[in-house]
Each structure stands twice: as structure tokens, then as C-alpha cells.
Amino acid sequence: MAGYYIYKGATRKFLKDLSGSGNTEVSRAIKYSGMLGYPAKGVVLGAVGLLFIVATVQRDPEEASGIDGALKAIQDQPFGPVALVAIGAGLVCYALYLIFRARYDRMD
């Protein structure tokens, strides 16, 4: 699932989900926020999935945590603070994409 979100954002496949907007500025905003937001969501889902895999291999259910645990694990890495800022910005972009899509996408 995580890889699909990254793929969908990088290849702009999410544009097929949109029926279109008449305003080109809004369309551009939807496009760029989706291009940044989908991969960020994919990274977070991938981190959560990785924690579940580690918990399964180690047979330690305490290791299996949600998004908060995944973000804490990323924070503990040497590049953690920078990665968290990038992921946070990406998730904000994904939220903006959802807002733009809900507001300006035409329902045909």
C-alpha cells in the first residue's frame, strides 16, 4: 500500500481520480499538492508497515505501534529531524490536496 501511494504521486496517477476543475490555478494547486502529498503518505504508511514487520520477526507486540511509533522511530535516526519536517510538509500537502479536491472537483 505504501509503495502504491508513492507510485501514484510520482507518476501523477491520482489525476485520473479527478473529474477536473474549471479553474486552472486550482487545478495546478491540486496537482502539486497531490504530487507532494501522496508520496509523503506513502512514506508514513511504509514506516508503520516496517514496524509491524519488525514486531512480527522479533515476536514482540510492543514494537507494533501506529503512526506515532513510526514517527518516533524516524526521529531517532541521524537524519530524523530533517525527515520529520519533510514528512510533515508532505502530509500538509496531502491535506491541502484533499481540501482542494473536495472543494473544487466537479462531480459529473
Side-chain angles (χ1 to χ4, degrees):
M1 182 64 89
Y4 176 71
Y5 277 99
I6 294 169
Y7 169 78
K8 193 171 183 176
T11 60
R12 301 177 187 167
K13 295 283 185 187
F14 65 91
L15 294 174
K16 291 181 181 179
D17 298 339
L18 302 171
S19 59
S21 171
N23 186 337
T24 57
E25 290 302 315
V26 172
S27 296
R28 195 172 307 143
I30 291 171
K31 178 180 167 183
Y32 290 123
S33 61
M35 286 171 44
L36 297 172
Y38 267 99
K41 183 176 179 181
V43 167
V44 172
L45 290 176
V48 171
L50 186 61
L51 285 179
F52 277 106
I53 291 170
V54 167
T56 302
V57 170
Q58 294 179 351
R59 297 181 184 174
D60 184 9
E62 296 297 319
E63 288 290 323
S65 58
I67 292 174
D68 61 330
L71 295 176
K72 286 177 186 174
I74 291 171
Q75 180 184 8
D76 293 340
Q77 302 303 313
F79 57 86
V82 174
L84 286 178
V85 168
I87 290 169
L91 290 176
V92 168
C93 288
Y94 187 70
L96 289 173
Y97 165 76
L98 294 177
I99 290 168
F100 289 144
R101 183 174 174 189
R103 174 63 179 100
Y104 296 106
D105 190 27
R106 274 195 232 149
M107 303 299 278
D108 291 333

